[in-house]
Coordinates of all heavy atoms in Angstrom, one line a residue:
A1332 N -15.3 5.8 -3.8 CA -14.0 5.8 -4.4 C -13.0 5.1 -3.5 O -12.1 4.3 -4.1 CB -13.5 7.3 -4.7
I1333 N -13.1 5.2 -2.2 CA -12.2 4.5 -1.3 C -12.4 3.0 -1.4 O -11.4 2.2 -1.4 CB -12.4 5.1 0.1 CG1 -11.9 6.5 0.2 CG2 -11.6 4.2 1.1 CD1 -12.2 7.2 1.6
R1334 N -13.6 2.6 -1.4 CA -13.9 1.1 -1.5 C -13.4 0.6 -2.8 O -13.0 -0.6 -2.9 CB -15.4 0.9 -1.3 CG -15.9 1.3 0.1 CD -17.3 0.8 0.4 NE -17.7 1.3 1.7 CZ -17.5 0.6 2.8 NH1 -16.8 -0.6 2.8 NH2 -17.9 1.0 4.0
D1335 N -13.6 1.3 -3.9 CA -13.1 0.8 -5.2 C -11.6 0.7 -5.2 O -11.0 -0.3 -5.7 CB -13.5 1.8 -6.3 CG -15.0 1.8 -6.6 OD1 -15.7 0.8 -6.2 OD2 -15.5 2.7 -7.2
A1336 N -10.9 1.7 -4.6 CA -9.5 1.6 -4.5 C -9.0 0.4 -3.6 O -8.1 -0.3 -3.9 CB -8.9 2.9 -3.9
H1337 N -9.8 0.1 -2.5 CA -9.5 -1.0 -1.7 C -9.6 -2.3 -2.4 O -8.8 -3.2 -2.3 CB -10.4 -1.0 -0.4 CG -10.2 -2.2 0.4 ND1 -11.1 -3.3 0.4 CD2 -9.3 -2.5 1.3 CE1 -10.7 -4.2 1.2 NE2 -9.6 -3.8 1.8
Q1338 N -10.7 -2.4 -3.2 CA -10.9 -3.7 -4.0 C -9.8 -3.9 -5.0 O -9.3 -5.0 -5.2 CB -12.3 -3.6 -4.7 CG -12.6 -4.9 -5.4 CD -12.7 -6.1 -4.5 OE1 -13.2 -6.0 -3.4 NE2 -12.2 -7.2 -4.9
D1339 N -9.3 -2.8 -5.6 CA -8.3 -2.9 -6.6 C -7.0 -3.3 -5.9 O -6.2 -4.1 -6.4 CB -8.1 -1.6 -7.3 CG -7.1 -1.6 -8.4 OD1 -7.5 -2.2 -9.5 OD2 -6.0 -1.2 -8.3
A1340 N -6.7 -2.8 -4.7 CA -5.5 -3.1 -3.9 C -5.5 -4.6 -3.5 O -4.5 -5.3 -3.6 CB -5.4 -2.3 -2.7
V1341 N -6.7 -5.1 -3.1 CA -6.8 -6.5 -2.8 C -6.6 -7.4 -4.0 O -5.9 -8.4 -3.9 CB -8.2 -6.8 -2.2 CG1 -8.5 -8.3 -2.0 CG2 -8.4 -6.1 -0.8
S1342 N -7.1 -7.0 -5.1 CA -6.9 -7.8 -6.4 C -5.4 -7.8 -6.8 O -4.9 -8.9 -7.2 CB -7.7 -7.3 -7.5 OG -9.1 -7.3 -7.2
A1343 N -4.8 -6.7 -6.6 CA -3.3 -6.6 -7.0 C -2.5 -7.5 -6.0 O -1.6 -8.1 -6.4 CB -2.9 -5.2 -6.9
A1344 N -2.9 -7.4 -4.7 CA -2.1 -8.3 -3.8 C -2.3 -9.7 -4.1 O -1.4 -10.5 -3.9 CB -2.6 -7.9 -2.4
A1345 N -3.5 -10.1 -4.4 CA -3.8 -11.6 -4.8 C -3.0 -12.0 -6.0 O -2.5 -13.1 -6.1 CB -5.3 -11.8 -5.0
A1346 N -3.0 -11.1 -7.0 CA -2.2 -11.4 -8.2 C -0.7 -11.5 -7.9 O 0.0 -12.5 -8.4 CB -2.4 -10.3 -9.3
A1347 N -0.2 -10.7 -7.1 CA 1.2 -10.8 -6.7 C 1.5 -12.0 -5.9 O 2.5 -12.7 -6.1 CB 1.6 -9.5 -5.8
L1348 N 0.5 -12.5 -5.1 CA 0.7 -13.7 -4.3 C 0.7 -14.9 -5.3 O 1.5 -15.9 -5.1 CB -0.4 -13.9 -3.3 CG -0.4 -15.1 -2.4 CD1 0.9 -15.2 -1.6 CD2 -1.6 -15.2 -1.5
Q1349 N -0.1 -14.9 -6.3 CA -0.1 -16.0 -7.3 C 1.2 -16.1 -8.0 O 1.7 -17.2 -8.3 CB -1.3 -15.8 -8.3 CG -2.7 -16.0 -7.7 CD -3.8 -15.8 -8.7 OE1 -3.5 -15.4 -9.8 NE2 -5.0 -16.0 -8.3
I1350 N 1.7 -14.9 -8.4 CA 3.0 -14.9 -9.1 C 4.1 -15.5 -8.2 O 5.0 -16.3 -8.6 CB 3.4 -13.5 -9.5 CG1 2.4 -13.0 -10.6 CG2 4.8 -13.4 -10.0 CD1 2.6 -11.6 -11.0
Q1351 N 4.1 -15.1 -6.9 CA 5.1 -15.6 -6.0 C 4.9 -17.1 -5.8 O 5.9 -17.9 -5.7 CB 4.9 -14.9 -4.6 CG 5.3 -13.5 -4.6 CD 5.1 -12.8 -3.3 OE1 4.6 -13.4 -2.3 NE2 5.4 -11.5 -3.2
E1352 N 3.7 -17.6 -5.7 CA 3.4 -19.0 -5.6 C 3.9 -19.8 -6.8 O 4.5 -20.9 -6.7 CB 2.0 -19.3 -5.3 CG 1.5 -18.8 -3.9 CD 0.0 -19.0 -3.7 OE1 -0.7 -19.3 -4.7 OE2 -0.5 -18.9 -2.5
A1353 N 3.6 -19.2 -8.0 CA 4.1 -19.9 -9.2 C 5.6 -19.9 -9.3 O 6.2 -20.9 -9.7 CB 3.5 -19.1 -10.4
A1354 N 6.2 -18.8 -8.9 CA 7.7 -18.8 -8.9 C 8.3 -19.9 -7.9 O 9.2 -20.6 -8.2 CB 8.2 -17.4 -8.6
A1355 N 7.6 -20.0 -6.7 CA 8.1 -20.9 -5.7 C 7.8 -22.4 -6.2 O 8.7 -23.2 -6.0 CB 7.3 -20.7 -4.4

């Protein structure tokens, strides 16, 4: 469960980074 949560957190952080890069 911890590893699944970590993978989800990494995916969310990558999506947020893409949004920031698109906005920039």
